[in-house]
């Protein structure tokens, strides 16, 4: 079994000439939104004002309190790529959004540096808002956050062209979303594989979907996906999707590790892993390890399905399933392999 353990797991460093990082401080009770403020002793009042002035490599530091429309916030809050947003703790720093659209939006600017969001809560009121919408940002880390309510918790899209996405979601809670708690869709640029780490998270009441696909022109669904040590309960479980569909001879390679998760689905299959290998001249190599999980679903524990391999392409898929506990009312484990497609 070959699983390449994210040889570049550390976020790629961006070196900018003569760039200086600054700390911008925000306090919804004591701050004022004036150009000469933003220090620890003279903070801004709103996160919106601070983010409009933050540049890549800057850190926006939120004091304890509630950041909402009543405190002066304008949504969505536009967080520039490369900026770090940090609260005091998830229990004391809250961003509350009750209107349409995302609470926080990160988009554009590839290769500019790592965007980090940590130590805060984003709470949504209503069925429509998305907590975090991230599009086209090269490198994003979400750490020790709580995402509460709303329709979707985190939406991550590759934008209008493929990029070598690096996404880490760790030690965070996604609570009571009405649809998808986490919806991640990545597409490599064909030079550098994408990397996704989703680990030690708690998801209650929503679904998690992770897809590595070739949706965009020139994209290659190459990369490493690690989904480990999470607890998912009450939704439809985990949907993992690997899709190679572009008709060219560039080599494809992807590795998935799904390990030590506890997944309980109340409406379907606990884990549904689907992969498609299609195209007129496809060369693809897929390695999947599903190990040491406890998974149960209303219909089934685990389902894996292959949509076929096209000829004359030469493709291989190796799926190892070991040391798991699967439970379901109809089946514990279901494997579906469709015939090759032209």
């Amino acid at each position: 079994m070959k699983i390449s353990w994210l040889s570049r797991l550390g976020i790629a460093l961006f070196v900018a000439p003569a760039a200086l990082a600054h700390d911008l401080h925000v306090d919804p009770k004591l701050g004022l939104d004036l150009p000469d403020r933003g220090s620890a002793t003279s903070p801004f009042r709103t996160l919106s004002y601070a983010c409009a002035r933050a540049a890549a490599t800057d850190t926006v530091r939120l004091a304890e309190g509630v950041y909402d429309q009543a405190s002066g916030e304008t949504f969505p809050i536009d967080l520039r790529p490369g900026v770090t947003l940090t609260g005091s703790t998830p229990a004391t720093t809250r961003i509350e959004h009750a209107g349409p659209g995302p609470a926080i939006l990160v988009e554009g600017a590839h290769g500019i540096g790592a965007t980090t969001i940590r130590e805060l809560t984003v709470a949504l009121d209503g069925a429509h808002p998305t907590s975090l919408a991230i599009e086209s940002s090269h490198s994003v880390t979400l750490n020790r956050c709580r995402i509460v309510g709303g329709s979707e918790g985190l939406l991550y899209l590759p934008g209008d062209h493929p990029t070598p996405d690096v996404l880490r979601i760790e030690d965070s809670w996604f609570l009571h979303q009405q649809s998808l708690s986490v919806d991640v869709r990545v597409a490599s640029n064909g030079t550098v594989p994408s990397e996704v780490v989703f680990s030690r998270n708690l998801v209650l009441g929503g679904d998690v979907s992770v897809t590595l696909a070739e949706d965009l022109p020139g994209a290659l669904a190459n990369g490493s996906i690690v989904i480990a040590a999470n607890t998912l309960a009450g939704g439809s479980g985990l949907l993992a999707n690997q899709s190679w569909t572009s008709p060219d001879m560039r080599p494809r390679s992807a590795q998935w590790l799904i390990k030590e998760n506890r997944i309980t689905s109340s409406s379907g299959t606990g884990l549904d892993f689907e992969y498609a290998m299609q195209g007129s001249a496809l060369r693809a190599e897929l390695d999947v390890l599903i190990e040491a999980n406890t998974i149960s679903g209303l219909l089934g524990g685990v389902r894996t399905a292959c949509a076929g391999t096209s000829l004359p392409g030469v493709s291989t898929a190796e799926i190892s399933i070991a040391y798991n506990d699967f439970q379901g009312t109809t089946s514990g484990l279901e494997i579906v392999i469709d015939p090759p497609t032209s």
Side-chain angles (χ1 to χ4, degrees), residues 99-295:
I104 300 175
L105 177 64
V106 185
E107 62 180 348
H110 309 285
I112 193 171
T115 303
T116 300
I117 303 171
R118 64 190 180 205
E119 295 287 355
L120 54 82
T121 290
V122 181
L124 304 178
D125 181 15
H128 301 294
T130 298
S131 178
L132 306 176
I134 301 169
E135 182 175 337
S136 257
S137 191
H138 169 70
S139 178
V140 176
T141 296
L142 184 72
N143 182 257
R144 288 182 53 80
C145 291
R146 296 180 187 176
I147 312 301
V148 182
S151 176
E152 290 185 308
L154 170 67
L155 174 64
Y156 186 98
L157 298 173
D160 58 359
H161 61 282
T163 61
D165 300 288
V166 180
L167 174 64
R168 301 178 66 99
I169 305 171
E170 297 175 309
D171 301 301
S172 295
W173 295 5
F174 297 85
L175 308 178
H176 312 305
Q177 279 74 48
Q178 297 185 14
S179 178
L180 287 166
S181 290
V182 179
D183 187 3
V184 173
R185 196 170 189 94
V186 294
S188 168
N189 64 359
T191 302
V192 180
S194 294
E195 299 172 357
V196 176
V197 177
F198 185 77
S199 65
R200 301 184 305 277
N201 301 291
L202 172 65
V203 180
L204 297 180
D207 308 336
V208 175
S209 174
V210 180
T211 299
L212 184 54
E214 298 178 342
D215 297 333
L216 304 172
L220 283 186
N222 292 354
S224 299
I225 312 292
V226 174
I227 302 172
N230 302 286
T231 298
L232 283 61
S236 296
L238 170 63
L239 173 61
N241 189 301
Q242 174 74 49
S243 180
W244 285 301
T245 54
S246 297
D248 61 62
M249 284 296 292
R250 291 178 297 170
R252 272 88 165 163
S253 177
Q255 301 82 39
W256 288 72
L257 172 67
I258 302 173
K259 184 175 182 179
E260 296 179 354
N261 300 284
R262 298 181 63 86
I263 303 174
T264 303
S265 169
S266 60
S267 58
T269 301
L271 166 61
D272 198 337
F273 186 93
E274 298 183 354
Y275 57 101
M277 296 180 176
Q278 298 173 343
S280 60
L282 183 64
R283 294 184 299 160
E285 218 177 88
L286 173 65
D287 292 322
V288 181
L289 175 59
I290 301 173
E291 182 180 69
N293 301 281
T294 300
I295 302 176

Side-chain angles (χ1 to χ4, degrees), residues 7-43:
S7 58
R8 297 170 314 283
L9 195 59
I11 301 299
L13 296 178
F14 173 78
V15 180
L20 296 176
H22 300 90
D23 283 0
L24 305 178
H25 294 262
V26 186
D27 190 317
K29 297 178 181 178
L30 304 178
L32 290 174
D33 285 343
L34 296 174
D36 60 345
R37 297 178 71 93
S39 67
T41 55
S42 300

Side-chain angles (χ1 to χ4, degrees), residues 46-99:
T46 65
L47 172 58
S48 306
Y49 192 89
C51 284
R53 284 148 184 78
T57 74
D58 286 350
T59 297
V60 177
R61 299 187 179 276
L62 303 181
E64 296 181 359
V66 177
Y67 297 79
D68 59 7
Q69 189 173 7
S71 70
E73 297 298 345
T74 301
F75 294 98
I77 293 169
D78 190 357
L79 183 64
R80 291 188 175 125
V83 173
T84 293
L85 174 61
T86 182
S88 300
T89 68
T92 59
T93 305
R94 291 175 60 88
I95 299 170
E96 297 186 356
H97 177 39

